[in-house]
Amino acid sequence: MSENIFFQIFISLIAGVGAGLGTGFAGMSAAAAISPMLIVFLGVDPFQAVAISLASDVIASAVSAYTYGKNKNINFKYGWILMVTVLIFTIVGTYVASLVPSKTMGSFSSIMTLLLGLKFVIKPVMNTKEKMNSLSKNKMIIFSILGGILVGFICGFVGAGGGMMMLLILTSVLGYELKTAVGTSVFIMTFTALIGAGSHIAISAEVPNLVLLITCVISTLLFARIAAKIATKAQPKTLNRITGIVLIIISIAVITMSIVQKLI
């Protein structure tokens, strides 16, 4: 890891800005932006980078969830089913991640993030709350459980992609309108990140770099708050475009960093 503390803080700040915007606008995991930057630029062990990312997620997601909840954009009725399933399989995914080589944990979610961003720009999610509430109870329960298994395992295994998968399932499978989907996602990711971060730290039995941890947490929190406040007041089409652009920028940045890392 670089010995230059100012460089460490700079990289952590930039990573936190991207993570915060992604969390507040799209409910994505902070790991999609933080993990690759810490790994590529600072040489942080991937398992530790995920732990820092998930720790940054906890407060940022909680603050974003509060903002969305205050504006009645969280579906608590079925969200708890998805949340419980996600939490259980986050632990399973974390344990499996500890058994595989670090190089296996990388930019898993980059392509998915890019495609989802393009989807929001080209084909906006225009579901309404009325349509969302018209879906059958059995369908909501079954797909919430199946979606929770997939999202939880992905989040625990690579620390990234969980928020993206959740957003995709909520909007495309369960028919959530975008604001409620993002609000429900950050609500669930608050607890998922807490369990994931605790599991990673417990399994590794090593305290993450405090400079990186504190800097990432503060910058992610600040920009997640700003993004969530803007998102709750935005029109559906505008929010779709903003969300899509943020996802595209983050995914391109991560993919570029991965290519640079291989060339160095």
Side-chain angles (χ1 to χ4, degrees):
M1 186 184 297
S2 172
E3 296 300 323
N4 190 329
I5 190 170
F6 295 106
F7 183 64
Q8 293 180 23
I9 292 175
F10 173 74
I11 294 298
S12 300
L13 282 172
I14 298 301
V17 171
L21 293 177
T23 299
F25 279 125
M28 64 180 282
S29 169
I34 293 178
S35 290
M37 291 200 69
L38 297 186
I39 294 170
V40 173
F41 291 107
L42 301 178
V44 178
D45 175 76
F47 199 77
Q48 287 297 314
V50 171
I52 292 173
S53 302
L54 291 173
S56 301
D57 249 340
V58 178
I59 301 177
S61 293
V63 170
S64 297
Y66 171 77
T67 303
Y68 278 97
K70 189 168 64 173
N71 290 276
K72 302 185 186 305
N73 289 315
I74 295 179
N75 186 342
F76 292 104
K77 185 176 181 180
Y78 296 105
W80 71 269
I81 299 175
L82 182 61
M83 181 180 72
V84 171
T85 312
V86 167
L87 290 178
I88 293 173
F89 281 86
T90 294
I91 297 175
V92 174
T94 300
Y95 176 72
V96 174
S98 69
L99 303 177
V100 300
S102 294
K103 65 181 180 180
T104 304
M105 300 162 57
S107 55
F108 168 81
S109 63
S110 302
I111 299 299
M112 182 175 64
T113 302
L114 175 61
L115 294 177
L116 192 57
L118 290 172
K119 176 185 181 300
F120 283 130
V121 173
I122 298 172
K123 188 178 180 181
V125 175
M126 299 304 292
N127 299 333
T128 62
K129 290 188 177 181
E130 289 73 21
K131 180 181 178 181
M132 179 182 74
N133 294 328
S134 68
L135 297 177
S136 69
K137 179 179 179 180
N138 289 337
K139 180 180 179 180
M140 293 290 283
I141 292 175
I142 291 173
F143 280 103
S144 291
I145 293 174
L146 294 177
I149 292 173
L150 180 62
V151 170
F153 185 83
I154 290 174
C155 185
F157 186 72
V158 296
M164 291 299 91
M165 286 300 300
M166 196 177 309
L167 191 61
L168 182 62
I169 290 170
L170 291 176
T171 55
S172 300
V173 179
L174 297 176
Y176 280 42
E177 56 92 25
L178 187 55
K179 289 183 182 179
T180 304
V182 175
T184 304
S185 178
V186 291
F187 168 69
I188 295 172
M189 289 303 290
T190 300
F191 300 95
T192 305
L194 180 61
I195 296 295
S199 299
H200 273 73
I201 294 174
I203 290 173
S204 66
E206 182 179 341
V207 178
N209 183 299
L210 293 181
V211 172
L212 302 182
L213 177 62
I214 294 172
T215 307
C216 285
V217 168
I218 293 176
S219 55
T220 302
L221 169 61
L222 176 61
F223 282 89
R225 172 66 171 166
I226 294 172
K229 291 189 72 172
I230 295 174
T232 54
K233 299 181 184 301
Q235 294 298 316
K237 282 190 177 181
T238 302
L239 180 57
N240 270 270
R241 290 186 181 129
I242 293 175
T243 302
I245 291 172
V246 169
L247 295 179
I248 291 171
I249 291 175
I250 291 176
S251 63
I252 291 176
V254 172
I255 292 172
T256 301
M257 284 187 289
S258 298
I259 295 175
V260 170
Q261 184 184 31
K262 292 179 181 178
L263 294 177
I264 296 177

